[in-house]
Amino acid sequence: MTDTAALPSAPLPSASLPRPHSPALPLPLPHSPRRVAVFGAGYIGLVTGACFAELGHRVVVRDIQPERIDLLRSGDVPFFEPGLGDLILRNKERLSFTLDVHEAVRDAEVVYVCVDTPPTASGDADLSRVWAVVDALKDTASHLVAVVVKSTVPVGTGDRVRVALDEAGLHHVGYASNPEFTAEGSAVDDFLRPDRVVIGAFDEATARWVEGLYAGVDGPVETMDVASAEMVKLAANALLATKITFINEIATVCEATGADIEHVARAIGRDHRLGPYFLNAGLGYGGSCFPKDSRALRAMASNSGYPFQLLNAVIEVNELQPRRAIQRLKSELGGLRGRRVALLGLTFKPGTDDMREAPSAVIASRLLAEGAEVTCWDPMARPGPVQPWSSTTRHDTVDDAVSDADAAVLVTEWPELVDVDWPAAARRMRHPLFFDGRNLLESTAMLDAGFTYMSVGRATRHR
């Protein structure tokens, strides 16, 4: 890589309005390990910090929660993510944690903003945590090379941050958007071996400096203007959410016509133009990204005067999907009042303890509203004493959860559920009805085990 002193001070291509002030060349390229401050010790911040430390950089992660920082300093991770704990332990000489802004920024060359941007009542992203970081830099960041936002933010946020940095006298500090594309359960691998690294900057020098931080990462780098980088994250998640919702709509038609969604999805996925990914019919998408980002993109479009009708339909169908499962159970059982229903899996996906926007919460709430008793099993989820979970009964084993139940609903496709002794489980139930909300199990085997078997996108099969 050539030194930036030989590069022209060229802006990256953009179709937007004229850029705010951009820092002048030359900027030092990160040939050697850099000093990185990461604001936010959640999923994205911790993975970002630990992975940058793995790449050889010296990293300080700052958060505002004392209990979280204490936990990390003691060597524990506040949530489950495969490989993350080992990564933090292996890089403990290059990775530290603090509550203090000045300690985090004191020696830093780059600040990564990895704070949460939850939805507001209008569906817009709440950027208060982002602005809190920007405000904290005004008196502490005279020596910084760049500020990089990895948090998911609306298009146009970078322009506003650039103006705020300029007004604070930080004209020399570059700005970049570097959205994350990590999935819970595979976040470390997604960071170190990504499909792509997206870097949006107002000038080529900043883009190349940030790109240098990723030396050693096995994946292509896409550089572009800031607005386009901000849009990439929202558009990618909206497209994936649309694909999930589309296959769930096809599944509903399959149920009505006698077609089998598993056969349909497998054949569709063999088309090289479409691919097999995100074509698994189920109870709908959940987690921290798809619901939030879809609503944020819809709100952003609405604020611009454009009613994003396709995305409106995606969100509506996804919200209805777990409720359709309740209606099918109610029809099969002749009502839910007084029935006991076991929920198998609570997290929004296997391999994580995250329950944000999980379909299980909607299903449990609806069952309780219909007068059912709800029992639960999950190998990792630890829901707090809040509704609907405070009105349910947790069990440590699947057998205990389904004991005396009138129905069992597989909500999360935990691999442990494949190895359950289902004939024995059926004998423990009052009414061996099984709703496979992820089409994980083989229908004939469940029939042979003694169940009436219901699934998504296929007709109910009775014993």
Side-chain angles (χ1 to χ4, degrees), residues 20 47 62 75 236 247 377 390 458:
V47 170
R62 188 256 177 174
I247 204 64
W377 168 88
S390 57
R458 297 181 292 200

Side-chain angles (χ1 to χ4, degrees), residues 243-463:
K243 198 170 182 181
I244 294 168
T245 302
F246 175 81
I247 204 64
N248 281 334
E249 285 282 77
I250 295 298
T252 301
V253 180
C254 286
E255 292 167 11
T257 60
D260 187 321
I261 190 59
E262 296 294 294
H263 296 161
V264 173
R266 186 164 55 248
I268 289 173
R270 291 196 181 278
D271 189 323
H272 71 277
R273 300 168 299 174
L274 303 173
Y277 305 107
F278 291 85
L279 287 179
N280 297 317
L283 296 170
Y285 57 75
S288 62
C289 288
F290 286 179
K292 174 177 72 71
D293 292 353
S294 296
R295 293 170 191 148
L297 181 54
R298 179 179 64 177
M300 190 175 71
S302 297
N303 294 341
S304 301
Y306 171 66
F308 205 146
Q309 294 175 338
L310 175 60
L311 202 50
N312 282 334
V314 167
I315 294 168
E316 181 180 354
V317 169
N318 192 69
E319 291 175 348
L320 287 173
Q321 194 67 9
R323 299 171 189 271
R324 290 191 62 256
I326 298 300
Q327 289 304 310
R328 290 185 65 192
L329 274 181
K330 185 176 181 180
S331 177
E332 187 68 28
L333 290 170
L336 292 170
R337 181 165 298 279
R339 300 286 193 175
R340 177 180 294 176
V341 180
L343 301 187
L344 307 180
L346 303 179
T347 58
F348 85 94
K349 63 183 283 188
T352 179
D353 58 359
D354 194 350
M355 293 183 60
R356 287 176 290 181
E357 298 278 354
S360 61
V362 175
I363 293 171
S365 296
R366 286 302 311 141
L367 287 169
L368 292 168
E370 293 282 351
E373 176 188 352
V374 179
T375 62
C376 307
W377 168 88
D378 191 285
M380 285 191 181
R382 296 293 178 267
V386 296
Q387 291 291 10
W389 308 116
S390 57
S391 297
T392 67
T393 304
R394 290 290 307 281
H395 292 283
D396 293 330
T397 68
V398 172
D399 282 347
D400 288 342
V402 302
S403 183
D404 294 324
D406 295 288
V409 182
L410 191 157
V411 183
T412 312
E413 60 272 38
W414 286 104
E416 293 92 327
L417 293 171
V418 175
D419 299 323
V420 170
D421 184 345
W422 288 114
R427 291 191 294 270
R428 295 173 71 96
M429 295 176 67
R430 281 198 301 246
H431 187 288
L433 172 64
F434 193 92
F435 191 109
D436 190 345
R438 300 297 178 182
N439 294 357
L440 177 68
L441 305 176
E442 207 281 318
S443 59
T444 301
M446 295 303 284
L447 290 172
D448 292 343
F451 286 98
T452 295
Y453 181 76
M454 306 175 73
S455 57
V456 180
R458 297 181 292 200
T460 300
R461 297 189 64 182
H462 295 87
R463 292 176 290 141

Side-chain angles (χ1 to χ4, degrees), residues 80-101:
F80 178 76
E81 181 60 40
L84 181 57
D86 292 339
L87 203 65
I88 291 174
L89 181 63
R90 184 162 68 244
N91 292 284
K92 61 182 180 181
E93 297 302 318
R94 288 192 294 267
L95 183 61
S96 61
F97 305 95
T98 185
L99 292 165
D100 187 78
V101 172

Side-chain angles (χ1 to χ4, degrees), residues 114-125:
C114 300
V115 296
D116 193 19
T117 54
T120 64
S122 65
D124 297 287

